[in-house]
Amino acid sequence: QIFSSPGDEIIVEDPTFYEVKSFVSQYNLTVVPIPTTDEGFNVDELERRLESKEISPKLMYIIPDFSNPRGITLNEEKRKKLVKLAYKYEFMILSDEVYQLLYFGDHAKTPKPMALYDLDEFHKSDSKGGVVSIGSVSKTIMPSLRLGWLFTRNSILLRKFYDRAVELSGGLHSFYSAGIFEAAIRNGMFDKRLSYLRNLYLERS
């Protein structure tokens, strides 16, 4: 609702998380599937279709870390290129990073969040492109807590999200849950939780 209108194109990985179909149909968006390879999302194929003007997307949805369902993590080179393409062709990347903190073993450590590959040189007051990293405690603490965060280096995008979030939620944010989670971060409890989960997954792998 913030960055698209009914009929607009949205880029998705093929295959992608099954719930994306529900999200897309809810807002009447046109799906543009881009096939994945053994190295993850096919950035070169996306670039080819953008350059040839086969597609003109407004949005892109991607799970760059341990993608669902294939479990592939996108490397840094592809992340940088995706962000550049987003600004060049003016589409918004919605980077779903709920698994970003759940690597186990140094060999599997994930790259930094997609939004951190956004550079100041890309930012223009009239730019319609950008990238937003979306995080959540649904995979690290509990799904029912319904607590997450948005991260972007583009202050214009951040303002749009904040203004619309208040409008859509009626201002009824869970300040109590957010306050508890902030305390858990500050006192190290969340780091201990992550360490426990990483060790647990490593044992089970």
Side-chain angles (χ1 to χ4, degrees):
Q1 290 182 330
I2 303 175
F3 300 107
S4 65
S5 301
D8 285 345
E9 294 178 332
I10 179 171
I11 304 161
V12 300
E13 301 165 279
D14 184 18
T16 189
F17 179 45
Y18 74 96
E19 285 286 0
V20 171
K21 294 181 179 178
S22 173
F23 162 77
V24 169
S25 62
Q26 181 180 356
Y27 295 103
N28 297 313
L29 301 175
T30 301
V31 176
V32 178
I34 301 293
T36 57
T37 69
D38 290 340
E39 296 181 349
F41 186 80
N42 194 333
V43 181
D44 292 336
E45 173 63 13
L46 172 62
E47 184 177 31
R48 183 193 68 77
R49 297 181 68 177
L50 289 167
E51 287 180 344
S52 65
K53 299 184 179 179
E54 291 179 37
I55 58 175
S56 182
K58 291 291 182 66
L59 294 171
M60 174 181 183
Y61 173 80
I62 187 170
I63 303 174
D65 307 299
F66 313 117
S67 64
N68 188 344
R70 296 200 65 186
I72 302 171
T73 295
L74 204 64
N75 64 38
E76 287 200 329
E77 181 182 353
K78 290 189 174 185
R79 291 173 192 240
K80 292 175 182 178
K81 189 171 183 178
L82 267 181
V83 175
K84 289 181 179 179
L85 289 175
Y87 277 98
K88 181 177 180 179
Y89 293 99
E90 298 191 327
F91 62 88
M92 177 66 52
I93 299 174
L94 302 177
S95 183
D96 188 346
E97 300 175 9
V98 295
Y99 305 109
Q100 202 265 340
L101 298 173
L102 288 177
Y103 61 87
F104 49 94
D106 291 339
H107 67 285
K109 188 172 183 178
T110 53
K112 58 189 179 183
M114 187 82 80
L116 286 177
Y117 295 94
D118 192 349
L119 304 177
D120 291 337
E121 65 189 72
F122 297 149
H123 299 175
K124 299 177 182 178
S125 60
D126 60 345
S127 176
K128 297 178 182 178
V131 54
V132 176
S133 289
I134 304 168
S136 169
V137 301
S138 62
K139 311 300 181 185
T140 53
I141 300 180
M142 67 176 73
S144 59
L145 197 58
R146 303 184 66 81
L147 184 64
W149 57 88
L150 301 172
F151 173 58
T152 178
R153 296 190 69 246
N154 189 321
S155 59
I156 299 172
L157 296 182
L158 189 61
R159 185 75 245 178
K160 289 181 179 179
F161 268 108
Y162 178 79
D163 290 344
R164 198 60 189 274
V166 172
E167 174 188 335
L168 293 177
S169 69
L172 298 177
H173 300 300
S174 181
F175 295 112
Y176 183 73
S177 297
I180 293 175
F181 181 56
E182 180 188 14
I185 293 174
R186 290 183 181 277
N187 65 25
M189 290 180 64
F190 186 58
D191 285 337
K192 291 180 180 178
R193 172 67 176 173
L194 289 176
S195 179
Y196 164 77
L197 291 174
R198 290 167 183 164
N199 289 331
L200 179 64
Y201 291 144
L202 183 60
E203 291 174 3
R204 292 178 176 179
S205 65

